[in-house]
Amino acid sequence: MENRLKEILKSIAADGTLFEDAVKAAEERQKVLAKPTGSLGELETISVQMAGITGKIKNSVQKKAIIIMCADNGVVSEGVASAPQSVTLSQTINFTRGLTGVSSMARYFGIDLLVVDMGVKLPIPDSLYTDTAVENGRLTSKILKRSLGRGTNNLAAGPAMTREQALEAVLEGIKAAEAVKAAGYDIMGIGEMGIGNTTTSSCVLAAITGSKAADVVGRGGGLNDEGLAKKTKIVAKAAAACEGNDIIDILAKVGGFDICAMTGAFLGAAYCRIPVVVDGYISAVAALAATKMAPNTVNFMFGSHISKEQGYKIAADAIGLRPYFNLGMRLGEGSGCPISFNIIETACAAMNGMATFEEGSIDADYLSEAEKGNFF
């Protein structure tokens, strides 16, 4: 497993840059489209990045997918979560029924979900499982069975998992991204479900960035003051124990099966050259872990919303990720991805369909003074 991951990281390092010719061509097209330079703001930046990923100036994001990694975390036994672990089970099942926040949005917009059991504690009925990610050219509507155990160990008492389990989870995430690519999807997002995973995310973030626990720990799903204080103390101690460790060891000591697999999915996006949307706090921490393992992964990442979890900004800033909107969201699940998909689709539509000054019979000389003075 170590060797396979090294091969993938080496490939990303060699081939994970943006196509420079396509980037330059897209930038040049933006300059001659019938609008003041930069007037579409971030939409222009998005369209140029898309060109760099695909090598094409004009792009489509018609076929969209969200990978949702589901797993439980042993640290909940410390009283750091407001919800019981039965919620992980219920929501993992409800994703396939279109009844959750993200799955209701996905159903409306025609987005396919890949729901993966990486280690849900309570048993899922066998009838809801499948071992095949893609069926008839689309992602399965069942739960993909990739469980590494009935949740992780309690990270407050020792390592959450073994290094081998962390590696396996990362590789499963890469395989999930490969399945998305093989099925011909244009873009994907990364979400999660797992009670206690704001604690694991905070541990990973603090360990990677050296941030104080108090700066990265939030209330998650609604933790009271006593629980918050306990959570902060656990994160501080667990993160400190990771000093000097590589990313895989950090994930093994204080992460979760879901975060490990999400990290792998971000690596897989870069490996397969698929545009990938980062959701909220937990997704951003996994994205950060991926960039630390392979810096070029950031070239394929797009933001979504600003999470209300206070650690989100630290993770996003460490990546260099630009969120596109702030709706006060803090659900997780990948719920920011459908909105971001529509923003990215809008950026591509403008790039693809807008006339140039010449095509629109517009004399662009009126813009020359503003361009000289940089008045835009």
Side-chain angles (χ1 to χ4, degrees), residues 71 113 125 140 296 313:
L113 303 181
T140 181
N296 279 341
K313 186 177 187 304

Side-chain angles (χ1 to χ4, degrees), residues 130-170:
T130 182
D131 288 321
T132 306
V134 178
E135 298 171 350
N136 300 317
R138 303 201 79 92
L139 295 175
T140 181
S141 60
K142 290 190 171 185
I143 299 167
L144 186 63
K145 189 174 184 179
R146 294 293 186 266
S147 179
L148 298 178
R150 298 289 190 180
T152 58
N153 300 322
N154 179 3
L155 65 84
M161 68 190 85
T162 65
R163 182 179 175 89
E164 288 69 28
Q165 285 177 309
L167 281 166
E168 187 173 354
V170 169

